[in-house]
Amino acid sequence: EQLFMHSKLHQIFFALLGHFEPETSKMAFECILRYKPDFVMPCADDIKELFAKGKLRDTMIRLKEYANQGKITPRNREKLGPLLARILMGRMSARSVGKSTKDSPSARRSA
């Protein structure tokens, strides 16, 4: 918090969480972790797994269990919701960016 315009940097990092490139959003999350927000720290390792390919569903289930167990308090959930929504938005847009198998030349020839 001693940096000049640290709140502006935090806003930029938060906006980059929704980036379609997973590596960019992962680095933005690492930068947010430097601020050590109290609502993220209890489940930071699990949130990092949201960026790993193939672990989205398992991580979301684990985060739901944490909420049910009380590891994520209702006050922290209010702040954690927008952060998770940004990350998920980036993950979903990343999937729509790549070409699907329907667009392959062999699929077009056979159609």
Side-chain angles (χ1 to χ4, degrees):
E1 293 191 35
Q2 295 178 0
L3 283 175
F4 179 67
M5 295 183 64
H6 72 281
S7 61
K8 187 68 174 171
L9 281 173
H10 189 271
Q11 290 175 350
I12 291 169
F13 296 145
F14 190 78
L16 285 173
L17 283 176
H19 200 270
F20 66 90
E21 289 184 22
E23 197 60 35
T24 303
S25 55
K26 184 177 181 180
M27 289 189 316
F29 183 68
E30 293 289 336
C31 292
I32 288 174
L33 285 181
R34 298 286 179 189
Y35 288 91
K36 297 186 193 271
D38 57 343
F39 64 95
V40 175
M41 297 315 285
C43 53
D45 292 332
D46 296 310
I47 294 174
K48 285 180 188 177
E49 287 187 16
L50 287 174
F51 300 106
K53 192 172 184 176
K55 294 192 176 194
L56 180 68
R57 182 177 47 173
D58 295 335
T59 304
M60 291 302 293
I61 290 171
R62 198 171 326 119
L63 288 172
K64 183 180 177 183
E65 289 172 0
Y66 288 163
N68 292 339
Q69 294 170 356
K71 187 174 181 181
I72 300 174
T73 63
R75 191 183 86 210
N76 288 348
R77 192 183 303 177
E78 288 176 15
K79 297 177 185 176
L80 199 58
L83 183 116
L84 291 175
R86 283 270 182 183
I87 293 171
L88 293 175
M89 182 183 73
R91 285 290 309 265
M92 294 302 129
S93 64
R95 290 183 181 196
S96 64
V97 169
K99 282 190 169 184
S100 69
T101 57
K102 294 178 186 176
D103 293 337
S104 70
S106 62
R108 277 188 246 137
R109 278 191 293 263
S110 65

